[in-house]
């Protein structure tokens, strides 16, 4: 599934590793092309000028040798949104210093079924551009011309599937209507190798997984699952730092308190600053990931963790953490919650009816 995010506030590369590991591919999209030129911001005068330019180019093309006639017919056949996108991409590539004779290009097209069609359109546009170079410039010879438009890998542009060996990357997402399968619009963008690979995709999926610091614990004993000693009898949590997350849930809540914009919005709604004031209540706390956030990140002096399950030993031993082991509906737990009230922050990751929870 492809998700196109418009006017993104931050780059996906800035997301926490738990979010980035769920993303398989990222492409930077900076342009949007419609088949209707007026929708794409072109007025009738510009459209007329473009038509005259194309007619002029075709007239010059007809003056070429007989074996170039196939190219003219393909230009006409390919006239449409893909031809338009290809023309715009080629202009952007050359404007950004892409050398048709030396540099290699990677195309990331979604859906992938359109990859060959769009690559062929781009090769056709590049071939057309090369043939019509100014007098004295080096064009393509007859042998190249015969094969120039026979497929996505044949033409002036050196294509590569390698993300590390390419000079530039073209990212394309085609938006088509489900009912008629007709193409509505095309989103596209051009990135350098570094922008596409090092700055973006090398920080996604499995690459991001390596950044996720996590030490899970035993649901019965509360001790860390990773062996701390060769002997199970000496199993201890002491060798793992207490701030190391005990669950993936840690990253979910931690991201909230990393978002300054969200915190300001929440503070404006409750007309008070969210900070280390009073106690925190974590309902459905086991094994303690969100309790860790309230203690380490928000720095609340007291955190009440409610859950019938076991808290990780590393979390249970934190100063100011109180574990009320039981269901929130029981009298002992309700009395325990009341004892440490009032609460400045309440978080819940349990299957609890909010209508029953809030009055308590």
């Amino acid at each position: 599934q492809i998700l196109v995010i418009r006017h993104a506030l931050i780059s996906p590369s800035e997301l926490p590793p738990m979010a980035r590991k769920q993303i398989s591919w990222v492409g930077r999209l900076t342009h949007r092309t419609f088949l209707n030129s007026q929708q794409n911001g072109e007025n009738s005068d510009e459209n007329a000028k473009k038509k005259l330019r194309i007619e002029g180019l075709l007239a010059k093309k007809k003056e070429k040798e007989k074996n170039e006639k196939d190219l003219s017919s393909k230009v006409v056949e390919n006239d449409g949104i893909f031809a338009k996108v290809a023309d715009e991409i080629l202009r952007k590539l050359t404007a950004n210093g892409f050398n048709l004779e030396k540099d290699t290009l990677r195309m990331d097209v979604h859906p992938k079924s359109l990859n060959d069609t769009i690559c062929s359109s781009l090769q056709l546009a590049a071939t057309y551009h090369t043939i019509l170079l100014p007098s004295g410039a080096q064009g393509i010879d007859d042998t190249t011309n015969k094969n120039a438009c026979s497929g996505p890998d044949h033409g002036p542009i050196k294509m590569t599937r390698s993300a590390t060996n390419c000079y530039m990357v073209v990212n394309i997402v085609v938006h088509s209507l489900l009912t008629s399968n007709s193409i509505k619009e095309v989103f596209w963008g051009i990135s350098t190798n570094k922008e596409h690979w090092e700055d973006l995709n090398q920080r996604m999926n499995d690459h991001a997984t390596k950044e996720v610091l996590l030490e899970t614990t035993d649901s019965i004993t509360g001790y860390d699952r990773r062996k701390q000693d060769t002997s199970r009898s000496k199993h201890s949590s002491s060798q793992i730092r207490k701030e190391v997350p005990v669950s993936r849930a840690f990253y979910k809540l931690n991201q909230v308190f990393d978002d300054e914009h969200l915190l300001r919005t929440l503070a404006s709604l409750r007309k008070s600053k969210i900070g280390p004031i009073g106690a925190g209540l974590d309902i459905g706390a086991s094994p303690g990931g969100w309790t860790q956030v309230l203690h380490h990140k928000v720095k609340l002096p007291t955190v009440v963790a409610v859950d019938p399950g076991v808290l990780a030993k590393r979390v249970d031993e934190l100063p100011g953490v109180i574990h009320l082991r039981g269901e929130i509906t029981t009298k002992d737990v309700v009395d325990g919650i009341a004892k440490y009230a009032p609460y400045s922050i309440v978080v819940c990751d349990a299957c609890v009816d909010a209508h029953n929870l809030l009055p308590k």
Side-chain angles (χ1 to χ4, degrees):
Q1 294 182 346
I2 297 293
L3 176 64
V4 177
I5 303 175
R6 302 184 188 181
H7 311 297
L9 297 177
I10 63 170
S11 167
S13 62
E14 298 177 35
L15 293 172
M18 275 300 295
R20 284 186 279 116
K21 67 177 289 191
Q22 308 298 329
I23 303 173
S24 59
W25 171 88
V26 176
R28 185 167 172 262
L29 307 173
T30 54
H31 294 72
R32 185 181 177 198
T33 300
F34 299 90
L35 183 56
N36 184 337
S37 60
Q38 290 187 353
Q39 281 185 291
N40 202 36
E42 297 179 5
N43 57 39
S44 57
D45 290 339
E46 291 173 333
N47 192 41
K49 289 178 181 178
K50 178 175 284 188
K51 184 177 180 181
L52 288 173
R53 181 178 65 82
I54 293 175
E55 289 175 351
L57 293 177
L58 285 173
K60 290 181 181 180
K61 180 64 188 69
K62 289 178 180 178
E63 296 175 2
K64 292 291 180 177
E65 296 180 8
K66 189 175 181 179
N67 60 0
E68 293 176 352
K69 288 183 179 179
D70 290 340
L71 182 59
S72 295
S73 63
K74 289 186 179 180
V75 171
V76 175
E77 289 171 6
N78 220 14
D79 191 20
I81 192 165
F82 290 147
K84 184 176 182 181
V85 170
D87 181 66
E88 292 177 358
I89 289 174
L90 184 62
R91 289 172 180 275
K92 194 68 176 178
L93 282 171
T94 53
N96 281 277
F98 185 85
N99 189 316
L100 291 177
E101 296 181 359
K102 299 178 182 179
D103 298 329
T104 54
L105 184 70
R106 173 186 166 98
M107 298 283 287
D108 277 349
V109 180
H110 297 271
K112 294 185 181 297
S113 58
L114 294 174
N115 182 77
D116 286 1
T117 302
I118 295 179
C119 288
S120 296
S121 297
L122 186 59
Q123 291 286 22
L124 180 64
T127 304
Y128 195 33
H129 170 80
T130 308
I131 290 174
L132 298 173
L133 285 173
S135 178
Q138 184 179 359
I140 59 174
D141 58 26
D142 293 342
T143 304
T144 306
N145 182 42
K146 290 176 182 177
N147 299 321
C149 304
S150 60
D153 297 324
H154 297 281
I157 300 178
K158 298 178 179 65
M159 296 285 189
T160 178
R161 291 176 174 81
S162 171
T164 55
N165 296 330
C166 63
Y167 178 67
M168 284 188 175
V169 179
V170 176
N171 301 296
I172 299 176
V173 175
V174 179
H175 179 199
S176 56
L177 300 175
L178 294 177
T179 53
S180 61
N181 205 29
S182 60
I183 294 169
K184 180 181 178 183
E185 57 197 348
V186 177
F187 299 93
W188 59 275
I190 296 172
S191 307
T192 63
N193 174 293
K194 182 180 183 301
E195 291 170 338
H196 181 77
W197 179 242
E198 294 182 26
D199 298 346
L200 276 178
N201 286 282
Q202 203 172 25
R203 293 176 56 77
M204 304 299 151
N205 47 70
D206 290 342
H207 303 286
T209 302
K210 300 171 185 176
E211 300 178 37
V212 178
L213 187 62
L214 186 69
E215 289 289 351
T216 58
T217 58
D218 188 279
S219 60
I220 298 176
T221 65
Y223 286 107
D224 294 291
R225 291 182 183 276
R226 181 163 62 91
K227 290 183 179 181
Q228 304 300 303
D229 198 281
T230 53
S231 171
R232 291 186 65 88
S233 61
K234 297 180 180 180
H235 190 84
S236 169
S237 305
S238 59
Q239 296 181 28
I240 296 179
R241 291 179 288 113
K242 292 185 182 298
E243 63 268 22
V244 174
V246 296
S247 68
R248 294 180 179 86
F250 170 92
Y251 290 97
K252 299 178 185 177
L253 189 62
N254 192 68
Q255 184 179 357
V256 171
F257 291 100
D258 275 335
D259 192 330
E260 294 295 335
H261 175 73
L262 177 60
L263 291 179
R264 285 195 298 269
T265 303
L266 292 174
S268 66
L269 292 174
R270 64 200 299 269
K271 297 181 180 180
S272 62
K273 184 178 180 181
I274 296 178
I277 304 170
L281 177 62
D282 181 6
I283 301 171
S286 179
W290 283 13
T291 301
Q292 285 181 299
V293 175
L294 297 181
H295 181 275
H296 296 303
K297 184 75 174 180
V298 189
K299 301 189 183 305
L300 292 173
T302 303
V303 181
V304 178
V306 178
D307 201 294
V310 174
L311 271 192
K313 288 294 182 183
R314 282 189 286 115
V315 179
D316 202 16
E317 294 169 357
L318 291 173
V321 170
I322 295 95
H323 181 200
L324 300 179
R325 189 168 183 180
E327 298 288 349
I328 194 172
T329 53
T330 62
K331 184 179 184 302
D332 288 344
V333 171
V334 171
D335 291 343
I337 292 174
K339 177 181 177 181
Y340 297 98
Y343 295 95
S344 60
I345 297 178
V346 177
V347 295
C348 178
D349 195 18
C351 185
V352 179
D353 187 345
H355 293 90
N356 294 328
L357 173 63
L358 293 175
K360 296 180 184 297

